[in-house]
Amino acid sequence: MKDAHEQIIEQLSDYIDGELSPSAHAELERHIDACAECRTVVPELRAVKEHAASLPNTPPGADLWDGVAARLSHARTARVTPLRRRAQRTFAFTMPQLAAAGIALMVVSGGAVWLAERGDPRADFPAVTASTTAPSANVAAGNAEHVDNAGVIDAHYDSAVDDLERTLDRGRDRLDPETIRLLEQNLEAIEKAIDQCRRALDADPANTYLNNHLAATRQRKLALLRRATALTIGS
Amino acid sequence: MHERSLRTEATLLRAQTTLTARSTSEPADDVALAATGDVRAFERLYRANLPKVHSLVRRMTAGRDADELTQDVFVRVWQKLATFRGDSAFATWLHRLAVNVVIERFRTEATRRQRHYDGEDIFEMLPAIATRSGDLAMDFESALAKLPDGARQIFVLHDVQGYKHQEIADLLEISAGTSKAQLHRARMMLRRHLNPPNPNQASE
């Protein structure tokens, strides 16, 4: 519960901004004349306001133009393609994103199978040596480059998720009901976030944040499945 | 086809007229040229406006992803430039667009945090964010960055950028009263960094 004077202090910003009615302004002015605390606070608030208005604008530490320029042509293309893409539910990624996502999916796919066969939940995934069906090979075979790239990523992702979900399903009865409940709750939340991100990307396919967010959310789902799968094997 | 080129021409004329009439930092025709796809003209616009846009984004976000968001702003400008009607100065239009990009980011992040609250609690042991405390020499910008998100955004929009409370209320989908209360909260917190209490030495 605020006392009367706190309520007066809360009006001091409105006072210095001229946001009060004439009568309220006059009344507050009379109070300020008689109140030592308010007479201190008012000039301090004015100083903050004046200082804020005079803050210098400074450029970033590094030039950002290359990153902007790299996205300009794509941004123009993206403006005319979202409706066509909607039906295919495919997405455009930059090459570094593709490479990173491709490697991550290979690691997880290989790891899931390795975990299921070897059954050591504590061990980390083996080094990437097995998967020679790299995304780049498939990409090279495609005609529409970026659409096919996204398709390859989708396929690898779906395959990795399927592998993990099958393994998890086989070991499901080894998990306690509370763990299963939490797992399902989290998977559902992640899946919703992925859907939301896909919808946002339909409208703005070139958005770096959304692309990164989608890749990160997918990684999150894979990481969660991987951890849950390890629990079933280890218990 | 004709209609489109006429529209483009009208956009160019409006942009040129407006920019000639107003004293902005960019050459009058760069907006018009960039709207037709001239990347060099757009780069000049970028360079002329980068400090303002980056400072705005950095202050609103407390520095989080400021570089990436600044790039997002300029890509969005490139996409939307043809819709710039010249009703306001280009700089004003650009800053409003930048504010919208930042607000969108905050909304997306807020949704994400809501959706993943359980998962982060249960399945991840996130390292605590290291914070520096006891730094009395913290400058104003650092103090600004430490404000709560809502108070900081409103302070930046009102006191740094000069937005009115009703404009802020519309942008952030809050009431004007909330905007006023958050602004006052921010100022009260920041005044300590401009006026550190030191009553004993004042009389010397």
Side-chain angles (χ1 to χ4, degrees):
Chain A
M1 189 74 181
K2 291 169 187 167
D3 66 27
H5 194 250
E6 278 179 70
Q7 289 177 10
I8 289 172
I9 285 183
E10 285 182 356
Q11 293 180 51
L12 292 180
S13 279
D14 284 350
Y15 170 77
I16 66 171
D17 291 338
E19 297 271 354
L20 296 175
S21 67
S23 60
H25 186 92
E27 190 180 334
L28 193 54
E29 208 153 48
R30 282 194 295 277
H31 169 83
I32 293 167
D33 284 343
C35 174
E37 185 182 352
C38 286
R39 281 203 308 278
T40 304
V41 173
V42 166
E44 287 177 350
L45 294 179
R46 280 209 177 98
V48 170
K49 182 180 177 178
E50 285 163 13
H51 191 76
S54 65
L55 285 175
N57 292 314
T58 52
D63 187 27
L64 309 174
W65 173 251
D66 286 348
V68 174
R71 292 166 60 191
L72 294 187
S73 58
H74 183 78
R76 293 234 154 169
T77 307
R79 275 191 300 176
V80 296
T81 56
L83 285 178
R84 190 157 52 84
R85 285 187 176 177
R86 184 181 291 277
Q88 296 178 320
R89 214 189 70 174
T90 54
F91 311 97
F93 293 82
T94 63
M95 284 313 291
Q97 286 173 332
L98 271 173
I103 289 167
L105 289 171
M106 282 189 294
V107 169
V108 175
S109 293
V113 173
W114 185 83
L115 266 177
E117 290 178 357
R118 298 293 187 91
D120 182 357
R122 295 288 169 194
D124 208 346
F125 287 141
V128 184
T129 52
S131 290
T132 51
T133 56
S136 58
N138 290 333
V139 170
N143 291 327
E145 251 184 51
H146 60 280
V147 172
D148 281 358
N149 287 348
V152 170
I153 289 291
D154 274 348
H156 277 259
Y157 170 76
D158 290 344
S159 168
V161 168
D162 283 350
D163 285 348
L164 286 165
E165 283 182 341
R166 270 199 300 275
T167 309
L168 181 60
D169 206 38
R170 282 199 295 272
R172 189 184 173 91
D173 55 359
R174 295 181 201 167
L175 299 175
D176 69 68
E178 180 62 9
T179 303
I180 291 172
R181 189 187 69 77
L182 289 172
L183 179 64
E184 288 177 343
Q185 201 175 51
N186 279 270
L187 286 172
E188 188 185 343
I190 292 172
E191 201 48 54
K192 275 184 188 169
I194 289 172
D195 282 348
Q196 184 193 34
C197 203
R198 282 171 170 159
R199 282 197 298 275
L201 273 168
D202 279 348
D204 188 7
N207 188 305
T208 305
Y209 172 73
L210 289 172
N211 276 304
N212 287 338
H213 184 47
L214 177 63
T217 311
R218 287 173 148 187
Q219 293 293 345
R220 190 184 183 81
K221 181 172 178 176
L222 287 168
L224 181 55
L225 283 168
R226 173 193 168 198
R227 195 175 300 191
T229 304
L231 281 175
T232 66
I233 294 167
S235 49
Chain B
M1 192 72 182
H2 275 303
E3 195 189 341
R4 186 159 183 247
S5 63
L6 278 175
R7 271 208 307 272
T8 306
E9 199 172 325
T11 304
L12 295 182
L13 280 172
R14 273 198 303 271
Q16 281 176 327
T17 307
T18 305
L19 286 163
T20 305
R22 293 170 192 273
S23 59
T24 54
S25 58
E26 58 274 352
D29 55 353
D30 279 347
V31 175
L33 289 170
T36 64
D38 185 329
V39 175
R40 286 186 182 174
F42 186 68
E43 184 177 356
R44 287 193 293 274
L45 288 178
Y46 156 84
R47 298 207 177 280
N49 291 282
L50 179 63
K52 275 188 180 178
V53 171
H54 193 268
S55 297
L56 166 66
V57 171
R58 189 180 64 244
R59 287 173 184 138
M60 283 192 75
T61 62
R64 295 193 300 267
D65 301 329
D67 288 358
E68 182 198 322
L69 268 172
T70 299
Q71 290 179 327
D72 286 350
V73 169
F74 281 102
V75 173
R76 185 80 65 88
V77 169
W78 176 254
Q79 289 173 317
K80 302 254 181 194
L81 207 46
T83 69
F84 172 60
R85 295 182 302 172
D87 296 339
S88 59
F90 174 72
T92 307
W93 178 81
L94 168 62
H95 289 167
R96 186 165 288 264
L97 191 146
V99 168
N100 281 326
V101 168
V102 174
I103 291 170
E104 279 173 27
R105 166 67 68 89
F106 272 98
R107 287 194 180 127
T108 309
E109 284 189 349
T111 307
R112 177 180 164 273
R113 277 198 298 273
Q114 272 182 339
R115 289 182 187 282
H116 290 293
Y117 181 76
D118 285 342
E120 284 175 352
D121 257 2
I122 297 156
F123 287 100
E124 292 190 4
M125 295 294 288
L126 294 176
I129 298 168
T131 55
R132 276 179 263 173
S133 60
D135 183 3
L136 295 175
M138 183 197 300
D139 66 15
F140 191 82
E141 294 268 11
S142 302
L144 178 57
K146 293 206 179 286
L147 291 177
D149 283 350
R152 188 183 60 254
Q153 286 171 24
I154 289 165
F155 179 81
V156 170
L157 290 173
H158 190 280
D159 279 5
V160 182
Q161 298 295 319
Y163 282 73
K164 305 287 182 202
H165 282 298
Q166 191 54 54
E167 292 176 303
I168 295 169
D170 293 342
L171 278 167
L172 298 179
E173 297 177 3
I174 56 175
S175 70
T178 300
S179 176
K180 287 179 180 180
Q182 291 287 332
L183 173 67
H184 180 69
R185 184 182 175 207
R187 284 176 178 168
M188 289 295 279
M189 291 168 140
L190 289 170
R191 77 189 167 111
R192 297 185 197 119
H193 296 283
L194 282 184
N195 307 282
N198 198 3
N200 294 333
Q201 293 178 6
S203 58
E204 288 184 6

